[in-house]
Amino acid sequence: MADVKWIKIAVDMFDNRKIKQIGSMPEGDSLLLMWVQLLCLAGNVNDGGFIYLTKEIPYTDEMLATQFNKPISTVRLALKTFEQFGMIEIINNMIFLSSWEKYQSTDRLATIRERKLKSFCLKIPWNVRGRPWTFHA
């Protein structure tokens, strides 16, 4: 995975119909903050919109409550709401952000990966045939 430290958030995010509906709910501000926190967490995991602690350990409601410093009831309300609004899906017990490509430029990630690969390849000593040196013990 590329080492990426950003996600895209449009300036008109709060004009989105789903975001407006969530904002008008009880605890709406907390739910919206959790949405942004989930986006950031997906960016940290950097696996196409999936959110997990490790590939073998999906986040539980309790773990997210600890991660976001929120009451478990708020976390459960947020996840239920986001799932009802089609913002997340639960796949194999892992949270998946349905519209991840909207928040992460996959084409830019490919460019970053390509640049890192080229940079890495430039550091490898090449032999006269254009192949990396191989050393035999």
Side-chain angles (χ1 to χ4, degrees):
M1 304 290 163
D3 186 23
V4 177
K5 302 289 183 196
W6 50 266
I7 57 171
K8 293 189 312 187
I9 297 182
V11 294
D12 63 351
M13 174 184 177
F14 294 101
D15 294 332
N16 179 288
R17 294 176 301 150
K18 293 175 185 178
I19 297 296
K20 280 187 176 189
Q21 290 301 312
I22 293 169
S24 70
M25 299 171 127
E27 297 188 67
D29 290 344
S30 290
L31 299 185
L32 291 177
L33 175 59
M34 281 192 57
W35 175 245
V36 174
Q37 289 173 309
L38 284 173
L39 290 171
C40 291
L41 197 52
N44 283 332
V45 172
N46 196 22
D47 188 8
F50 280 96
I51 297 173
Y52 48 77
L53 186 63
T54 71
K55 286 192 177 198
E56 294 78 30
I57 305 172
Y59 274 105
T60 63
D61 299 352
E62 293 80 7
M63 292 165 73
L64 288 173
T66 301
Q67 181 75 29
F68 298 150
N69 195 27
K70 297 282 183 210
I72 188 92
S73 58
T74 304
V75 169
R76 289 183 176 145
L77 175 63
L79 294 175
K80 179 182 173 191
T81 302
F82 300 151
E83 193 169 17
Q84 287 175 339
F85 281 35
M87 298 162 75
I88 67 169
E89 299 171 44
I90 306 299
I91 301 173
N92 296 329
N93 292 322
M94 288 190 200
I95 299 169
F96 174 72
L97 301 183
S98 304
S99 57
W100 178 242
E101 288 188 6
K102 179 177 170 183
Y103 298 98
Q104 187 68 74
S105 298
T106 52
D107 56 333
R108 292 268 328 258
L109 285 176
T111 303
I112 290 168
R113 284 187 190 107
E114 187 176 320
R115 247 188 257 140
K116 284 188 174 192
L117 180 61
K118 283 181 183 176
S119 172
F120 174 75
C121 288
L122 290 174
K123 294 175 186 172
I124 297 174
W126 299 90
N127 66 20
V128 291
R129 293 187 184 120
R131 294 189 180 128
W133 282 105
T134 55
F135 299 95
H136 303 283

